[in-house]
Amino acid sequence: MIVAVTMNPSVDISYPLNRFKFDDVNRVESVSKTAGGKGLNVARVIAQMKEDVICTGVVGGTIGDYIVQQLDGRHIRNDFLRIESESRNCIAILHEGMQTEILESGPTLSEQEGIAFLEKFEGLITSASLVTISGSLPKGLPTHYYCKMIEISHKKGKRVIVDSSGESLKQVLMHEKKPFAIKPNTAEFSQLMGFEVEAEIIDLKRTLSHKIFEGIEWIVVSMGSKGAFVKHGTDYYQVTIPEIDVVNPVGSGDATVAGFSVALNRNQNVATVLKTAMTTGMLNTMEAGTGYINKNKFKQYFDFVKVEKID
Ligand code: ATP
């Protein structure tokens, strides 16, 4: 079983409008409300890949209830810590070919809630084979909170994949107990290094050999339509993908983490792990919904992904 963690889930509301009127009333005909958050997208794709998954994290209030109902409705197992404050709404207004977003920052957790979640997490991962941690931390938790989750996972002998950014990712890399894998995209990778990382193989290889990555088994730098550049142990790989018709690329990094986790969980070889990760990422971009893939297309696109070892 894979445990997929989302510490700051949301209800994602999308309002399509022909024209967005400022300082006026905007009436919306068709509203879509879905349970959102990076780890929830990861879990949805894992479930579509027919691998056993459970979602966890923290939820509160009626928005929290809605998130749970949505997951239950899709038969995705979940076990969240209930917190005092309300989970957040994230609103996307789709207008004139643009997307204006209004993102609530979400609840502030108390210290006790932070401790209570770590206890729940420890219990949940006992029967897990793999853990994914995705997205940002809610307010109230220290930036090294993911390090505590990694420590617990080490104690229990579980592999952890971290897909986060900013300070929480930096803390994870600086901690003595390392995650099993990280999946930054190029922007997150550049932000982490403090300089614009070039997409040239020689630069990527040099950057990934930096000592902050020592002890991490897998570093998958996802590069959108350019595929990925990967460090596995002491080996480096360039992964290229075919040109495809993109409908909605949002969440493709989450779908990549999902495919990666599924293949690792099935003990597949390096090439299959990377090809699966790229394929689920691509399939997500080909659907309108975030965290959805058409599994019928899997084999066709998987065969187009090329994994090349770099000397
Ligand atoms: P997000 O933050 O939206 O979840 P990300 O920025 O973390 O995404 P990307 O590097 O953009 O992740 O994409 C992850 C993977 O999804 C890519 O490595 C690739 O397999 C696939 N992908 C993303 N965008 C495209 C695209 N335009 N064409 C083909 N494949 C894509």
Side-chain angles (χ1 to χ4, degrees), residues 183 185 222-225 227 241 244 246 249 251-254 256 278 281:
K183 191 225 69 69
N185 61 23
S222 66
M223 304 191 300
S225 61
I241 57 176
I244 53 171
V246 173
S252 47
D254 305 329
T256 299
M278 288 297 99

Side-chain angles (χ1 to χ4, degrees), residues 1 13 18 58 63 73 183 205 222 246 248 255 264 272 279 283 294:
M1 180 182 73
I13 305 174
N18 287 333
V58 298
I63 298 178
K183 191 225 69 69
K205 199 175 162 187
S222 66
V246 173
N248 175 13
L264 282 176
T272 307
T279 307
L283 295 185
N294 179 348

